[in-house]
Amino acid sequence: MYLDIPKSTKKMPAKAKKPKIDSSFVINDFLLNDEDKFLLTRLEEHYNLKFPSEIIEFWRFCVKQCSANPLDALKSLGVRLCGPFNFLNGQSLSNPHLHCRFYYDVPEFQTLFVSTNEDSKHLHYGYYRDDPNDIPGIIVSNNSEKSCEYSYVCDSLCSLPFRTIDFQLDKKSNNFIRRKQRVNAKTFNKIGIVVPVDPKTEVGYRPINFSEKELKKLLDKISQIDNIADRQKAFAPIHEEITYIQFANDESDFGMGLELGINLFLHGSPHLHKAARHVWLQAYTLLNRQVFSTIAQQHIQKRSNSLDEILGNLA
């Protein structure tokens, strides 16, 4: 499988050769020495998230490839390392959770690479974890200039390509299939949500009272109304749904609020932020995913499509 990176529009000089990437990065085991274990611990403490040991191995590989600037180790593939790799590179992040957080990035998404191609500046790739305590199981991509939809890329950093940039989607990977089997509901980003459900009582999730098409149509209508009073009237079905979510929360079906909250956020309209904040943050708290609640709160407050702001937050 190969990384989905658009080809650059710039032509190489006739006799120029593309920089070669050593294709020897294969992780056969994840045994780290004491120094690397310490580095992994510092990374997890800095983000308050779990990371696979492969990220340290991958970083060592990139340092070997381009010791002068490891963040550019995959430059020939049209991407630059960022996020956790900025931290591993010794850079201070004023807010690690907002650094490289694009417009449609839910808290479960953590950017690792950004496109350097001029025609796809908002294309980025990252880990996806359903719970802050989970080791990320898949890597996904999103181009926030085009839509809120995510595309599955591969299971891990050791699955990334180093010989070609022609991407072939493999939906038969073990992690992808295992996660797909646990998805409770679809969402606008095509990834869906995963919450724990008791197999005997089925407590943990109940569906919202809208189909995906119905919800999108309603949110489109709300977002297009300029008059505040008229917009509040159009909000009535959402307010009613939020009441149902409170009932669901009382019965420990926390996934219902998560489903609606994520979709309100992914729609993208600032008019939906207040409602999204209410049900979304509450769902994360009830699910003991407090870090995600914090990320969502901070992101909504400073949500932007400006690349300067997205790629900033370097102290």
Side-chain angles (χ1 to χ4, degrees):
M1 66 183 67
Y2 304 111
L3 198 58
D4 183 17
I5 303 170
K7 295 181 180 179
S8 172
T9 56
K10 297 181 179 179
K11 294 183 178 180
M12 296 287 288
K15 295 184 179 180
K17 293 182 179 180
K18 285 188 176 182
K20 290 184 178 180
I21 295 264
D22 181 1
S23 60
S24 62
F25 177 63
V26 178
I27 303 178
N28 295 317
D29 63 68
F30 302 114
L31 297 178
L32 303 180
N33 58 37
D34 290 340
E35 180 182 351
D36 288 344
K37 287 179 181 177
F38 176 72
L39 195 58
L40 181 62
T41 299
R42 284 191 60 213
L43 183 65
E44 291 181 334
E45 289 175 348
H46 190 64
Y47 280 90
N48 202 16
L49 296 168
K50 291 292 185 181
F51 286 87
S53 55
E54 67 163 12
I55 194 168
I56 303 299
E57 295 282 347
F58 187 81
W59 175 245
R60 297 301 188 201
F61 164 80
C62 291
V63 171
K64 178 182 175 183
Q65 290 293 132
C66 186
S67 58
N69 190 354
L71 299 178
D72 285 331
L74 304 184
K75 188 176 180 179
S76 64
L77 294 180
V79 294
R80 191 170 196 270
L81 280 65
C82 67
F85 296 115
N86 287 105
F87 177 78
L88 293 175
N89 198 40
Q91 293 171 276
S92 178
L93 304 178
S94 59
N95 189 326
H97 292 304
L98 291 186
H99 176 58
C100 293
R101 184 159 294 280
F102 287 74
Y103 196 80
Y104 293 111
D105 289 358
V106 294
E108 291 85 349
F109 188 110
Q110 182 176 39
T111 304
L112 299 173
F113 313 103
V114 292
S115 171
T116 58
N117 291 329
E118 290 297 326
D119 57 348
S120 57
K121 286 288 189 178
H122 289 256
L123 176 62
H124 55 295
Y125 307 80
Y127 279 140
Y128 196 93
R129 51 169 76 76
D130 293 295
D131 188 285
N133 294 312
D134 288 348
I135 297 294
I138 58 175
I139 292 176
V140 300
S141 69
N142 167 255
N143 188 334
S144 59
E145 270 192 322
K146 294 184 177 180
S147 76
C148 69
E149 296 183 10
Y150 299 175
S151 297
Y152 167 76
V153 177
C154 59
D155 279 358
S156 64
L157 291 172
C158 63
S159 304
L160 290 173
F162 295 97
R163 290 174 293 278
T164 179
I165 60 174
D166 294 327
F167 173 59
Q168 296 178 352
L169 183 63
D170 178 9
K171 291 193 174 182
K172 296 183 179 181
S173 72
N174 290 332
N175 289 355
F176 182 87
I177 292 175
R178 279 196 294 266
R179 185 186 179 281
K180 187 175 182 180
Q181 293 170 344
R182 294 187 296 116
V183 168
N184 309 102
K186 295 180 179 179
T187 47
F188 290 162
N189 60 7
K190 305 304 180 184
I191 289 292
I193 61 167
V194 174
V195 297
V197 175
D198 188 295
K200 294 182 179 179
T201 64
E202 296 186 350
V203 170
Y205 169 76
R206 71 179 67 172
I208 61 175
N209 295 295
F210 300 98
S211 68
E212 183 177 344
K213 184 177 180 179
E214 290 170 341
L215 181 60
K216 188 176 186 307
K217 183 178 180 180
L218 174 60
L219 299 184
D220 284 344
K221 177 183 176 181
I222 293 171
S223 66
Q224 292 166 8
I225 299 175
D226 295 325
N227 182 274
I228 296 177
D230 291 341
R231 191 163 62 241
Q232 284 298 319
K233 291 179 182 178
F235 246 114
I238 297 298
H239 289 153
E240 183 179 22
E241 191 70 8
I242 291 175
T243 299
Y244 293 141
I245 287 172
Q246 298 309 318
F247 295 147
N249 288 341
D250 290 341
E251 298 176 9
S252 299
D253 287 332
F254 306 139
M256 186 179 186
L258 181 62
E259 179 183 358
L260 180 64
I262 278 186
N263 280 328
L264 290 174
F265 172 82
L266 289 171
H267 182 275
S269 172
H271 295 317
L272 305 174
H273 283 175
K274 183 177 180 180
R277 184 187 293 111
H278 176 69
V279 294
W280 197 22
L281 273 59
Q282 184 182 49
Y284 282 137
T285 299
L286 293 172
L287 287 164
N288 293 316
R289 300 175 181 179
Q290 190 58 50
V291 178
F292 286 171
S293 179
T294 300
I295 295 172
Q297 172 76 5
Q298 294 175 349
H299 191 194
I300 287 176
Q301 288 177 344
K302 297 187 176 182
R303 196 176 187 188
S304 174
N305 252 327
S306 165
L307 282 176
D308 289 338
E309 294 184 30
I310 292 170
L311 303 179
N313 288 294
L314 289 174

